[in-house]
Amino acid sequence: MSTPRPAAQGPLREPFGRLADGTEVHRWTLARGGTRLGVLAYGGVVQSLELPDRDGRTANVSLGFGSLEPYLAGSPYFGALIGRYGNRIAGGRFTLDGREYRLPVNDGPHSLHGGDEGFDKRLWEVTPSSPAGLTLRLTSPAGDAGYPGTLETRVNYTLTEEGALRIDYAATTDATTPVNLTSHIYFNLAGEGAGPVADHRLGLAAGRYTPVTETLIPTGELAPVEGTPFDFRRAKPIGRDLREAHPQLLHAQGYDHNFVLDKGVTAAPEHVATLFDPGSGRVMKVATTEPGIQFYSGNFLDGTLAGPSGRTYRQGDALCLETQHFPDSPNHPHFPATWLHPGRTHRSTTIYSFGVR
């Protein structure tokens, strides 16, 4: 006889702090199938993600803060929803129908994750969608951060019966605009504050990646991973090739690259990545409809920030697997298109499923 899975608990809402204007920010909690998820209305942030290890001991495996103030003071996108455009746009500009649009530059000369006031810094409207689900909504008016068109965005967070985290994205616009929505969860399957993830084993179903310039903008090439540190087609420890003197690793101070998924864009989520922590036994599998995944090895964590554990986050203490379209796609016509037109709906889905070995 199979053991029944725990019933969904929630969504539970509690105060988490206030914005500078006094607006209260809430934290929502979902629990199902052994997974417990904390989500903030501010930035749509995944503030905590609690999972059992192989011995049944639970730990938070996502980086973040225990109060609102550090998020407001300057978070490196811990757990946030990213928009309008996840990743970088070169020079903070693109051309559409003969007109050049200029965006805020917040990453050297480039625009990163929607500019200095992207969706990660907005207060989302949050409503329960089920005992184990939340719907988050945000309106981005025409001209917001330099982008054309009013964009209506809806994101659903759902814990499945098995305890997987499913994220469904949808957006519509009244004028053509580029859209690239993603989630910026920092994972450490050993537990938040547990130290480097160099021993985590990562597998990616990607035979190519997009090399970048010294300022991390794609060159336009779709380069093979064969014979390079970027070959994760067979799972390997993240730290195995991290210190190689490969020009691309030097540009990014580690991995901070878009991997071209072999499957391309798909109507339904397909498996693209597996992450395993030998110490805890925790396993995470990633399925998505998106054509790319940005693997970031936590290169710019510098020990100045501390999480709920009280431990500081240092270089390599977490990693991100951001499912997405490619960086700077509006300026690379041969990349999968990110244009959203009026009358169409942008949709994508990513599922993070969890288990133990």
Side-chain angles (χ1 to χ4, degrees), residues 64-234:
F65 301 117
S67 62
L68 181 62
E69 288 73 17
Y71 288 105
L72 302 178
S75 165
Y77 307 100
F78 283 149
L81 292 176
I82 303 298
R84 286 188 190 192
Y85 200 95
N87 221 307
R88 296 171 175 87
I89 294 184
R93 60 183 64 188
F94 63 86
T95 300
L96 171 63
D97 294 333
R99 176 182 170 183
E100 183 180 81
Y101 290 85
R102 298 196 175 191
L103 316 173
V105 293
N106 61 326
D107 185 54
H110 310 304
S111 184
L112 174 66
H113 294 332
D116 45 13
E117 293 187 7
F119 290 4
D120 60 295
K121 297 178 179 65
R122 308 296 175 88
L123 189 64
W124 291 68
E125 176 191 340
V126 183
T127 55
S129 57
S130 71
L134 298 171
T135 297
L136 289 78
R137 292 181 173 86
L138 182 70
T139 298
S140 174
D144 186 14
Y147 287 91
T150 296
L151 190 75
E152 301 285 351
T153 301
R154 184 181 74 251
V155 178
N156 286 345
Y157 285 119
T158 307
L159 293 183
T160 69
E161 184 179 354
E162 296 77 20
L165 171 58
R166 178 181 176 121
I167 309 178
D168 293 289
Y169 305 86
T172 58
T173 183
D174 59 6
T176 300
T177 186
V179 175
N180 194 22
L181 304 174
T182 191
S183 170
H184 211 299
I185 303 173
Y186 285 69
F187 295 101
N188 184 329
L189 296 185
E192 174 268 327
V197 295
D199 290 339
H200 281 40
R201 297 180 63 87
L202 176 65
L204 293 171
R208 295 177 296 170
Y209 75 107
T210 52
V212 295
T213 66
E214 292 182 359
T215 57
L216 306 185
I217 292 296
T219 63
E221 182 185 5
L222 305 179
V225 301
E226 180 77 33
T228 77
F230 296 86
D231 193 348
F232 287 90
R233 291 173 297 176
R234 289 189 176 182

Side-chain angles (χ1 to χ4, degrees), residues 235-293:
K236 66 180 181 182
I238 289 167
R240 175 180 294 176
D241 302 322
L242 188 60
R243 301 302 175 189
E244 284 196 16
H246 189 284
Q248 287 296 308
L249 294 177
L250 296 175
H251 287 345
Q253 300 180 40
Y255 295 104
D256 192 4
H257 294 76
N258 170 65
F259 284 74
V260 179
L261 299 174
D262 296 338
K263 71 174 188 63
V265 179
T266 49
E270 294 187 13
H271 175 259
V272 296
T274 300
L275 184 68
F276 171 56
D277 170 41
S280 68
R282 293 186 182 94
V283 181
M284 181 176 78
K285 295 184 178 181
V286 185
T288 189
T289 57
E290 292 284 74
I293 192 166

